[in-house]
């Protein structure tokens, strides 16, 4: 495969050729790379010699990498430059890729070859990254059911197929129920309290539906501000009831979209598949690829956090209840809570996000962020020109060591536009590895959806958006600063799911520090620094209702873990019963009887978070505790910065995350720093 290949997706000689890639290239490129991979797998399973790193594991890595390199720009473009042609091509390839991966995952010959390498004398001579790649591979083969009896293997495969179907249907029901309900009005009185940006969105929604007036749906950009700002209590109640009964037999929805039977079947099949693999329950399967050792460790962790945040949550609830009562709402119902919380917040802190924006123009924020990170980790970051990109807004930067050696590159695509998926994320374009020709420099995509510049004025960010940018750059540094020579565990590859948010949440902390803000903030007209008075208000508001927020997250996480960790007698009844128990234990706000939150909990029933929702809080403990060391030593202490870079950022998935954390912190993590940072303990 060379630079002269007519299909640009098959040209892996450098950065993706974004200007040449067309939808018609996608399927042929995928067909080609999968066919070549199958030939290579065929060759590897019929090796004459016994498997070694060089003759077996390395070629397996190379095969995986080729597929990933071909697919990465396709999947990236599908997210940021969606078109009907590209979407069709993308969807046509998904089942082909899945089929290939299942085939490889259950290939007994490959499994035995890894086992042979693991048991050979050579294994002890491999470096820790190579050893980790081999043991990860063995684990993943086992979790794919490779060593089951033929009939059990067949059953396992059927379960997996059925589960992926159920997950897809679960998500579709949630989507259809969300979009299937709305309320329309022509009465301006119904809009009382709503900001102009929200009513404009609702007017646009009505217009698109061929209606006059305003249309409010259950989509987040309309639902959340409606609950927060709308003065009409009955309307809020209607919205709330429709929202919490989505995809259920309750409320105003089509009963055909009820997810309860799906939940029961998903739980039953997950349990069966876990038993099939020899585990007591599904949580143990999920935890095989995570840092936490068993379900008890997770529930113990969540319960400790709950015990230490519930008193604050109760105080916060009492405060808002009393505030609402003084404003003529004697009984604070769940549909009143966001509304009075917002009112209370404004009356306590006296500022809005609009006051902050002018201090965060994008050029200043980017340059400042690079200065902060440069000082912390001893790096230099500068733009590079003349790179092929997918949109004129996209820029590329290069990271070099103080010695001038280039160690990473990244694309930055900051602004919202049509045909670009919402949210913010970091993705892997090229990973680091060492070859005979030297080191392959890692490349990352950083994608956000900020408001674009208007006329001559630069884009101005909210503080929330600045934090998002730091968060994604933290993931980016984890990917790019790695020193691991083997792709399977370099950068974020092979990092346990519950540890992967450590570098990202960690970097967010600098957005609250005066010394860092002096780098990243400056008024877009005058260059004036962020006023201390405003920063003081921002800091005071940072932990508004953090106790209530904490116990709500714990409620979801504990429910998820118990649901997958306790062998169920009757699956149909498990979810509602456990949710009630968990709420009695940790929640401070108990929803009404008709609430069916679990029916739209896509994270665990349709996403990858089953017995893993706790990961968010788990990684937050690590990141807060890691940052606490900087608080102790100075937030720009070069020694501590170097230690973080060397022990965490450079190691990728090559070593156990707890080992890495202890190497940095000198001890295991505790929840104290997180509780202090969220204002829950002094
Ligand atoms: Zn993240």
């Amino acid at each position: 495969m060379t630079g002269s290949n007519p299909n640009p997706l098959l040209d892996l000689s450098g950065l993706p050729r974004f200007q040449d890639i067309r939808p018609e290239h996608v399927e042929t490129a995928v067909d080609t790379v999968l066919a070549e991979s199958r030939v290579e797998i065929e060759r590897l399973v019929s090796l004459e010699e016994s498997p070694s790193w060089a003759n077996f594991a390395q070629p397996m890595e190379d095969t995986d990498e080729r597929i990933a390199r071909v697919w990465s720009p396709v999947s990236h473009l599908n997210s940021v430059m969606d078109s009907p042609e590209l979407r069709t091509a993308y969807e046509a390839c998904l089942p082909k890729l899945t089929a290939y991966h299942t085939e490889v995952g259950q290939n007994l010959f490959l499994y035995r070859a890894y086992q042979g390498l693991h048991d050979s004398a050579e294994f002890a001579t491999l470096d820790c990254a190579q050893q980790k790649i081999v043991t990860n591979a063995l684990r993943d083969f086992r979790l794919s059911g490779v060593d089951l009896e033929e009939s059990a293997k067949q059953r396992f495969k059927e379960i997996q197929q059925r589960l992926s179907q159920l997950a897809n249907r679960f998500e579709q029901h949630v989507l259809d129920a969300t979009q299937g309900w709305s309320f329309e009005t022509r009465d301006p009185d119904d809009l009382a309290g709503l900001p102009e940006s929200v009513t404009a969105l609702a007017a646009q929604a009505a217009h698109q539906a061929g209606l006059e007036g305003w249309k409010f749906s259950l989509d987040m950009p309309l639902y959340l501000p409606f609950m927060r700002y709308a003065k009409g209590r009955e309307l809020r109640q209607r919205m709330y009831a429709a929202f919490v009964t989505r995809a259920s037999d309750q409320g105003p929805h089509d009963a055909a979209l009820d997810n309860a039977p799906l939940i029961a079947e998903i739980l039953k099949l997950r349990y069966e598949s876990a038993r099939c693999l020899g585990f007591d329950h599904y949580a143990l399967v999920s935890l095989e690829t995570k840092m936490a050792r068993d379900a008890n460790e997770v529930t113990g962790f969540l319960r400790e956090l709950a015990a230490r945040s519930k008193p604050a949550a109760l105080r916060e609830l009492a405060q808002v209840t009393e505030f609402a009562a003084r404003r003529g709402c004697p009984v604070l119902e769940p549909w009143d809570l966001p509304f009075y919380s917002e009112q209370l917040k404004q009356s306590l802190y006296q500022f809005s996000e609009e006051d902050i924006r002018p201090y965060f123009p994008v050029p200043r924020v980017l340059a400042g962020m690079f200065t902060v990170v440069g000082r912390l980790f001893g790096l230099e970051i500068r733009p590079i020109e003349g790179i092929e990109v997918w949109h004129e807004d996209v820029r590329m930067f290069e990271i070099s060591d103080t010695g001038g050696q280039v160690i990473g590159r990244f694309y930055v695509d900051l602004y919202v536009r049509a045909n670009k998926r919402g949210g913010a994320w970091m993705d892997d374009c090229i990973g680091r590895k060492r070859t005979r020709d030297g080191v392959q420099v890692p490349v990352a995509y950083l994608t956000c959806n900020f408001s674009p510049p208007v006329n001559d004025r630069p884009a101005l960010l909210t503080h929330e958006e600045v934090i998002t940018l730091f968060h994604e750059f933290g993931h980016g540094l984890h990917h790019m600063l790695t020193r691991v020579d083997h792709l399977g565990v370099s950068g974020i590859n092979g990092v346990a799911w519950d540890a992967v948010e450590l570098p990202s949440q960690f970097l967010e902390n600098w957005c609250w520090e005066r010394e860092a803000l002096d780098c990243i903030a400056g008024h877009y007209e005058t260059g004036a620094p962020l006023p201390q008075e405003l920063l003081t208000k921002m800091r005071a508001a940072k932990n508004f209702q953090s106790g209530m927020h904490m116990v709500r997250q714990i409620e979801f996480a504990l429910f998820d873990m118990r649901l997958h960790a306790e062998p169920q007698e009757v699956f149909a009844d498990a979810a509602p019963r456990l949710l009630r128990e968990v709420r009695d234990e940790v929640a401070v706000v108990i929803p009404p009887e008709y609430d069916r939150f679990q029916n739209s909990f896509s994270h665990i029933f349709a996403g990858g978070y089953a017995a893993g929702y706790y990961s968010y809080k788990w990684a937050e403990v690590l990141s807060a505790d890691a940052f606490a060391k900087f608080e102790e030593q100075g937030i720009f202490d070069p020694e501590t910065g170097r230690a973080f870079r060397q022990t965490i950022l450079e190691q990728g998935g090559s070593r156990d995350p707890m080992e890495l954390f202890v190497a940095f912190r000198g001890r295991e993590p505790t929840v104290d720093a997180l509780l202090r940072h969220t204002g829950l303990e002094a």
Side-chain angles (χ1 to χ4, degrees):
M1 292 175 206
T2 65
S4 61
N5 197 305
N7 188 329
L9 287 167
L10 293 171
D11 173 6
L12 305 180
S13 60
L15 294 169
R17 286 161 46 192
F18 284 109
Q19 281 165 9
D20 301 329
I21 299 171
R22 300 281 172 269
E24 59 268 27
H25 294 132
V26 172
E27 211 172 340
T28 48
V30 168
D31 286 343
T32 306
V33 76
L34 290 182
E36 287 172 359
S37 302
R38 286 194 168 95
V39 171
E40 178 68 351
I41 296 286
E42 206 40 56
R43 184 183 75 77
L44 291 171
V45 297
S46 34
L47 280 181
E48 302 268 315
E49 325 81 275
S50 50
S52 69
W53 181 268
N55 75 12
F56 175 72
Q58 185 62 56
M60 281 297 288
E61 287 259 293
D62 295 342
T63 307
D64 285 347
E65 185 191 14
R66 268 196 303 278
I67 299 174
R69 286 278 304 274
V70 169
W71 190 240
S72 162
V74 177
S75 136
H76 181 67
L77 288 174
N78 186 57
S79 301
V80 298
M81 292 294 278
D82 179 35
S83 71
E85 298 76 29
L86 183 58
R87 189 185 294 195
T88 307
Y90 180 86
E91 281 173 3
C93 294
L94 277 183
K96 297 184 183 193
L97 289 160
T98 312
Y100 172 83
H101 288 299
T102 315
E103 218 174 279
V104 171
Q106 290 206 337
N107 187 317
L108 199 54
F109 297 101
L110 295 177
Y111 176 59
R112 285 186 185 141
Y114 274 110
Q115 192 67 58
L117 176 55
H118 183 267
D119 298 341
S120 72
E122 186 195 355
F123 188 75
T125 69
L126 299 177
D127 68 30
C128 77
Q130 291 169 307
Q131 292 187 348
K132 198 77 200 300
I133 288 170
V134 173
T135 51
N136 284 355
L138 290 172
R139 174 199 70 195
D140 295 342
F141 276 106
R142 278 196 297 273
L143 294 178
S144 305
V146 72
D147 54 2
L148 299 176
E149 298 281 319
E150 207 41 55
S151 64
K153 208 172 189 171
Q154 197 48 41
R155 174 65 188 148
F156 187 83
K157 235 190 236 173
E158 281 165 24
I159 292 176
Q160 297 311 312
Q161 272 158 6
R162 178 68 181 152
L163 278 172
S164 82
Q165 220 176 41
L166 287 167
N168 194 27
R169 199 166 300 164
F170 186 98
E171 188 72 77
Q172 280 167 0
H173 285 177
V174 175
L175 191 68
D176 292 350
T178 305
Q179 298 187 339
W181 187 90
S182 61
F183 93 85
E184 291 100 37
T185 179
R186 292 189 196 181
D187 184 356
D189 288 351
D190 288 344
L191 310 178
L194 295 174
E196 202 273 329
S197 60
V198 179
T199 55
L201 200 57
Q204 187 185 310
H207 183 77
Q208 281 166 355
L211 301 163
E212 280 177 45
W214 300 270
K215 181 180 173 192
F216 291 93
S217 69
L218 298 175
D219 283 325
M220 281 296 154
L222 282 167
Y223 176 74
L224 281 181
F226 194 93
M227 298 308 291
R228 223 173 256 167
Y229 298 107
K231 289 188 177 164
R233 190 180 192 212
E234 270 165 43
L235 290 176
R236 285 202 313 268
Q237 183 176 359
R238 266 179 70 194
M239 285 282 269
Y240 173 85
F243 190 79
V244 301
T245 55
R246 285 174 303 152
S248 79
D249 58 351
Q250 303 288 305
H253 303 286
D254 181 352
L257 302 178
D258 185 7
N259 270 340
L262 275 61
I263 292 175
E265 192 180 348
I266 289 170
L267 291 174
K268 183 167 170 286
L269 290 177
R270 281 181 182 160
Y271 180 67
E272 189 187 337
S273 71
R275 300 291 297 163
C276 206
L277 295 174
F279 292 96
D280 282 349
H281 47 66
Y282 184 78
L284 289 171
V285 178
S286 169
L287 292 174
E288 276 291 288
T289 51
K290 296 185 176 70
M291 193 176 162
R293 278 158 291 212
D294 57 39
N296 285 337
E297 187 180 7
V298 174
T299 51
F301 159 73
L302 293 170
R303 286 186 164 123
E304 184 190 352
L305 266 187
R308 294 169 77 172
S309 14
K310 201 170 173 182
L314 286 168
R315 278 196 304 275
E316 292 158 6
L317 182 63
Q319 184 191 29
V320 64
T321 304
E322 193 199 322
F323 178 84
R326 274 189 277 125
R327 309 245 161 163
C329 175
V331 182
L332 188 78
E333 298 285 359
W335 47 90
D336 300 319
L337 188 61
F339 178 79
Y340 286 102
S341 294
E342 182 63 30
Q343 302 266 310
L344 173 62
K345 187 177 174 188
Q346 283 180 21
S347 90
L348 286 175
Y349 305 109
Q350 308 282 334
F351 77 95
S352 86
E353 281 286 342
E354 296 309 305
D355 304 331
I356 299 171
R357 265 183 202 275
Y359 293 95
F360 291 115
V362 160
R364 171 87 192 205
V365 174
L366 268 187
M369 179 170 79
F370 297 158
T371 307
V372 167
V373 166
R375 270 180 74 186
L376 261 177
F377 303 125
L379 306 167
E380 256 179 66
I381 302 170
R382 61 171 172 277
I384 27 179
E385 311 297 337
I387 301 290
E388 269 190 51
V389 293
W390 53 93
H391 187 273
E392 57 180 8
D393 286 349
V394 180
R395 297 174 68 195
M396 187 176 232
F397 297 85
E398 191 166 81
I399 305 183
S400 39
D401 241 323
T402 36
Q405 196 193 358
V406 175
I407 49 180
R409 297 192 181 93
F410 55 101
Y411 299 95
V412 176
D413 183 359
L414 291 184
Y415 305 117
V416 69
R417 63 173 174 264
N419 308 321
K420 182 175 171 184
R421 200 180 87 198
W425 66 92
M426 190 287 292
D427 210 350
D428 167 342
C429 175
I430 298 178
R432 184 187 199 272
K433 66 171 183 182
R434 189 177 290 279
T435 67
R436 250 174 272 129
D437 311 325
V439 168
Q440 173 170 289
V441 173
V443 180
Y445 304 112
L446 260 79
T447 312
C448 300
N449 273 279
F450 302 148
S451 317
V454 183
N455 301 327
D456 289 343
R457 205 196 62 184
L460 302 175
L461 303 184
T462 62
H463 190 239
E464 190 66 38
E465 290 171 331
V466 175
I467 292 172
T468 300
L469 184 63
F470 271 68
H471 179 103
E472 299 311 331
F473 199 48
H475 284 308
L477 291 175
H478 202 185
H479 176 62
M480 293 182 284
L481 297 192
T482 190
R483 303 277 299 166
V484 175
D485 290 336
H486 300 282
L487 201 72
V489 290
S490 86
I492 57 167
N493 290 334
V495 177
W497 190 295
D498 44 3
V500 86
E501 297 291 335
L502 195 183
S504 53
Q505 299 188 118
F506 165 83
L507 206 62
E508 291 178 18
N509 289 291
W510 274 263
C511 300
W512 296 96
E513 297 291 330
R514 178 83 257 176
E515 214 182 331
L517 282 164
D518 286 338
C519 298
I520 56 180
H523 196 282
Y524 79 101
E525 285 168 331
T526 65
L530 184 73
Q532 185 56 40
E533 194 200 344
L534 192 51
L535 177 59
T536 307
K537 287 178 184 174
M538 285 160 64
R539 282 207 186 122
K542 181 185 174 205
N543 292 325
F544 178 67
Q545 292 189 342
S546 60
M548 285 168 71
H549 182 73
M550 179 80 86
V551 294
R552 184 124 176 93
Q553 288 299 310
I554 293 169
E555 172 191 325
F556 300 160
L558 194 56
F559 167 64
D560 163 47
M561 187 49 71
R562 289 190 55 190
L563 198 56
H564 292 102
E566 293 171 15
Q568 307 298 336
E569 299 287 316
V570 188
F571 293 95
D573 178 45
R577 182 175 47 78
L578 269 178
L579 188 54
R580 261 195 307 276
E581 284 181 29
V582 167
R583 279 175 172 161
D584 286 343
E585 183 184 343
V586 299
V588 296
V589 178
I590 304 292
E593 192 50 44
Y594 58 73
D595 169 274
R596 291 292 182 275
F597 159 76
Q598 69 273 25
N599 290 38
S600 57
F601 197 5
S602 298
H603 271 90
I604 69 163
F605 294 117
Y609 279 86
Y613 195 82
Y614 74 93
S615 297
Y616 288 110
K617 283 292 153 207
W618 186 274
E620 213 179 340
V621 168
L622 302 179
S623 64
D625 201 354
F627 181 66
K629 184 162 178 188
F630 284 86
E631 292 179 305
E632 292 154 17
Q633 309 290 325
I635 65 151
F636 281 111
D637 180 56
E639 196 71 19
T640 314
R642 195 174 318 123
F644 188 80
R645 178 176 164 185
Q646 285 169 354
T647 52
I648 310 272
L649 295 174
E650 291 183 354
Q651 303 293 332
S654 66
R655 282 162 63 199
D656 178 63
M658 182 59 89
E659 205 182 295
L660 296 179
F661 184 90
V662 172
F664 172 68
R665 199 63 176 106
R667 58 163 174 74
E668 297 214 344
T670 74
V671 301
D672 302 325
L674 175 61
L675 292 169
R676 186 162 50 76
H677 292 156
T678 45
L680 294 169
E681 260 168 37

